[in-house]
Each structure stands twice: as C-alpha cells, then as structure tokens.
Amino acid sequence: MLLDFVRAHTVPAPVPFVPEIDLRQAQEPIALWEATESGGTEQPPPFWAFAWAGGQALARHILDDPGLVAGRSVLDLATGSGLVAVAAARAGARPVVANDIDPLSLAAAAANAEDNAVTIETLEGDLLDTDDKYGVVLAGDVFYSREMAARVLPYLRRAAGRGSLVLVGDPGRAYLPEGLVKRATYDVPVIEALESCTVRRTSVWQVV
C-alpha cells in the first residue's frame, strides 16, 4: 500500500521555514529512491519526501496572508509532498486539490494532510492541457527543466487569463520565465545534499 510505504520511509518533522506544519521527510534521498525502485521498475525521483525551497516559500507566503486563499478553491499543481496544499487548507481554502502524476506523491500528500488535521483532495494525472477553473493555482519549484517549463507556463498563463490568482514559488531555477510579478523573497533553509547549499534565496511570483 502506498501510504504504508510513505510512512515506513519518512519521519514527520516540522518544516524548517514553515514550522507550524509537520511534513513526512526522508532522511537519505538516494536510499529512498532505490527503495522506490526495488520492484524493478524505474521510478521518478522522490520529490514527495522533501520540503523544497519553492514550496516552503509559497507555504510561508500563504500562511502569512491567508486572505489570498481563504474561502477559495485551490489547485496545488505538481504537489510533491503536499506541503503547499496543506498550507492552503490551513489558511482556509476550500476545496484544496493536490495534483501530481506520481501516485506516491499523492499518498504522501494525503498522509501529510492527515498528520496536520486538514482536508485535501488528491488528483492524479497530467492537467497541463486542461482548463478547469480554480480560484487560486499554486505551483512550487516547477521550472527545474526546459521541458517542464515549456509545458507548465502556458497552463499557468491560461489560468491567470481565466481570472485565477496564480502564484509560483521558485529559488532561481534555470528555466524561470520572464514577465512574472515578484510578490515576496525569502531566505529558505534547504537540504545541502539536494541543493549543494544550506539556504536558498527564494521568491514568490505571480503569473499575469
């Protein structure tokens, strides 16, 4: 069972930059990745087992200004661990949909929501060619590759064009596009084994 796998390979701990949220986090990224592939099938990196800088900044921004999402429908695109979805639910968003293509990610998001006593919905699949409307669309750390950026940016711009508030958390990834509006900047603690540093200057951007 995916939930059992997530719970067996992670330890709940406060998120460094968002300590009011506990997140199930792996202590050793390579060992966890190898464990996900123990059945002989190649798996994506376990993005769901860590608090990435973009998600931490976005979660902090929402909790510090809950009026951004309170009472509004929220989509957390490429949710990873579900950190941003949990923060949105804590800030009063209803409903909150956590989306990812990785079923382990959605299991982690569900476990983290349960641990933090909030309600979210999980939605598996690639939504980047869809046009369902949400009041707010949130995306942390989605510009890490040229291919991902090329697909996700048109989706986010379409959402903004439909009237959604679209916010992105990004620590200066290589494919962050131009033309976004900076809302806030934070110095976010990160895992040195993943980021080759201990703090990343991370901004929250609005897509317009």
Side-chain angles (χ1 to χ4, degrees):
M1 185 178 177
L2 296 180
L3 272 172
D4 292 337
F5 182 92
V6 167
R7 291 186 172 120
H9 290 85
T10 56
V11 176
V15 177
F17 201 57
V18 196
E20 54 269 66
I21 292 178
D22 282 344
L23 199 71
R24 292 187 167 272
Q25 301 169 67
Q27 296 177 305
E28 177 33 62
I30 301 304
L32 175 58
W33 196 354
E34 290 173 348
T36 67
E37 296 185 329
S38 61
T41 303
E42 186 174 336
Q43 298 291 327
F47 296 122
W48 49 268
F50 307 99
W52 297 89
Q56 290 193 68
L58 205 46
R60 179 77 275 146
H61 193 66
I62 291 164
L63 289 172
D64 287 347
D65 189 359
L68 293 170
V69 300
R72 307 178 74 181
S73 60
V74 166
L75 173 67
D76 180 20
L77 184 71
T79 190
S81 66
L83 169 61
V84 175
V86 169
R90 284 280 296 269
R94 300 289 186 277
V96 177
V97 177
N99 160 252
D100 210 286
I101 60 172
D102 183 358
L104 273 169
S105 167
L106 299 182
N112 286 320
E114 182 179 341
D115 289 349
N116 288 278
V118 297
T119 299
I120 68 170
E121 302 172 17
T122 58
L123 178 60
E124 183 180 344
D126 183 337
L127 302 185
L128 298 181
D129 294 321
T130 67
D131 286 300
D132 291 340
K133 184 173 180 179
Y134 295 85
V136 182
V137 176
L138 305 171
D141 270 305
V142 292
F143 295 118
Y144 54 83
S145 74
R146 187 186 304 275
E147 295 76 16
M148 181 65 168
R151 289 209 62 219
V152 75
L153 183 59
Y155 174 85
L156 296 177
R157 285 189 167 146
R158 290 199 312 273
R162 292 191 299 273
S164 299
L165 172 64
V166 180
L167 300 178
V168 174
D170 190 275
R173 300 296 185 204
Y175 300 99
L176 178 70
E178 297 181 353
L180 308 184
V181 177
K182 186 183 291 187
R183 295 183 59 106
T185 298
Y186 309 96
D187 288 324
V188 179
V190 294
I191 299 170
E192 188 172 8
L194 297 173
E195 297 278 17
S196 302
C197 61
T198 57
V199 175
R200 274 209 176 272
R201 175 63 59 94
T202 305
S203 295
V204 173
W205 303 85
Q206 182 172 349
V207 179
V208 294

